[in-house]
Amino acid sequence: MPAGESELTSGSSRYLTKISARDVNVFYADKQALFDVNLDILHHQVTALIGPSGCGKSTFIRCVNRMNDVVASCRVEGKITLDGEDIYRDEIDVVHLRARIGMVFQKPNPFPKSVYENVAYGPRIHGLAESRKQLDEIVMSSLERAGLLDEVKDRLGDSGTSLSGGQQQRLCIARAIAVSPEVILMDEPCSALDPIATARIEELIGELRSNYTIVIVTHSMQQAARISQRTAFFHLGRVVEVGETAQIFTDPKEARTRDYITGRFG
Amino acid sequence: MTESERSNALRRRIRSRYRAERRFRLYGAAAIGSAVLALATLLGSVVGRALPAFFEHRVRLNVHFAPEALDADDRSAAGLAQANYGAILKQTLRSRFPDVTGRSEVRALSALLSVDAPYELRDRVLESPSLLGRSEEIWLLLTDQADLYLKGATDASGLSEAQIGWLESLRAEGRIERAFATRFLSTGDSREPELAGVWGAVVGSFFTLIVTLALSFPVGAAAALYLEEFAPRNRWTDWIEVNINNLAAIPSIVFGLLGLALFLNVLELPRSAPLVGGMVLALMTLPTVIIAARSAIRSVPPSVREAALAVGASPMQVALQHVLPLALPGILTGTIIGMARALGETAPLLMIGMVAFIVDVPAGVTDPATVLPVQIFLWADAPERAFLAKTSAAILVLLGFLVIMNLAAVWLRSRFEQRW
């Protein structure tokens, strides 16, 4: 992180905008999934995206690292910028973009390789380590920061799929941070985990916030309230309301947000 | 309807459901039972007929290597190689059966020995020239008819009364033994049944399949990987897909015609060679490999692709480092199914001349060769009765080849298998 950017701490309005979406429309073939989405993701904050199933939260974060590119029928209109740079420009290298924006998926999906290889894969393909020793350091520090090192340091050679669900998800987080991204996108990272593993991941997200900008999709409003600074409420492909988490949960401006938060639909 | 009536009806229905289930299981067991019975019958009859081919009969004769009978003044290796060993053999037989004198009788007597017997003597002499002028007890191969008679065939061995009498007297003397026919597993084809071996065809099949594997596996895997991971979905790829599926159902002889027209007539590659046979069979196998490889690649969970893409792997890295290793066991299975079909194929090879009578064991992929199914076909067609057992034995060797190939595939699979 460039120094100076991350030092602005008082008052969310003074945070820099890391990602900005302007009039984003997304289509899957003829079906429109997002309508005129305008959303700013602020630097070194946790932004939670909430809303009922099928409202476009996952579609939105998949636009941010262009994972939707692999879906042939998907078409993205509008403008999404990362540090002011349009990520849908032709000159943007998708591989490089994804190295800057890491992603953690709903279901833990470690590679069917060893724990070490899972974490080392990203740095290796991006040439981040010049020597074996340096690679070891990256792997160890990533596992450390993902809070997994103590549990797996004696079994780095075991298959990543042999870990428990919660450990696998933290391994996926370690894999994401091993390439030193600026942003981490999390698509319901706790939905397949038990409450203890969930608490562990939430704690981890709190720690990671000081170094990364995090966007998390979640179905749990308690989780959004616990871990995020800003919350955006999606409904039927539109952003209904976005604001500071405390404000969204205590004093929502829109009736639909209030109905969703109080459990009247969703 | 009262409650008890309802529960009775329910019970009846449950009973009839259980009966239906028992019947269903019985059908399944019956189907498997009949399949096992058919397989056992097949194997039993083949093994029963094949066993005699793995044994041969030999006679022990006291051979006197008289230099004057050899008719060889030249004692060099070249001279000894050209000497008249038939004369020695005739002398040996005459001294064993002194009362056989007539010209035709003598011919009938020496006809009991294989045409290979003089060459056997020659090899002995060339190996140790000091044998000249000495006598030695030597085991010599009997002809296929004598062999058949000694194996118990009474009807059609084609021996005369006198020949049978001589054989019996030799047997009574303990001069005849039954031995394992290593020759069958170590030599090529021959016009003489007692000399014909299956090794030439085994090596021919091996070279042919190596060529097939070397072509169809990489090309098939690459084609499948491209179609699944990179190709755009449009009318062209749909058209290609339909054609691949159709090619898998084309009669194999058509591929033989293609091989004849393209590989032999246009490219002028050697005839009867495993190289061309392997290329033709690779053409035939490719659709099978591609179809199996595509379904293996499609069954790799999309989460693996997403995980790799999300850390910034390029599409090629995703395909080669993540999808291919996980799909490899499935691709190997498809390949082995295609190879098993190629191993049993005769028709396309007829078109490119691999049906020729070839005695020498091939030393490379461009040497003339034949393959096991063609060898079986040739022997099944041969008039000599002794080839009957050879045919069955060659079928056994073919089955053995198949089993070894499948075991190798299972071993490879387990080596490449990655637990997901």
Side-chain angles (χ1 to χ4, degrees), chain B residues 13 42 48 52 65 85 99 121 160-161 195-196 200 231 239 247 280 287 292 300 321 377:
Chain B
R13 222 168 27 245
L42 174 75
F65 291 91
Y85 294 92
D99 44 337
L121 293 182
S160 68
E161 291 288 324
L195 299 177
W239 187 78
L247 278 178
V280 168
V300 172
Q321 295 169 357
F377 170 76

Side-chain angles (χ1 to χ4, degrees), chain A residues 45-63:
Chain A
Q45 282 208 342
V46 178
T47 305
L49 309 185
I50 61 169
S53 296
C55 66
K57 313 177 296 278
S58 298
T59 299
F60 177 74
I61 66 166
R62 283 166 163 271
C63 289

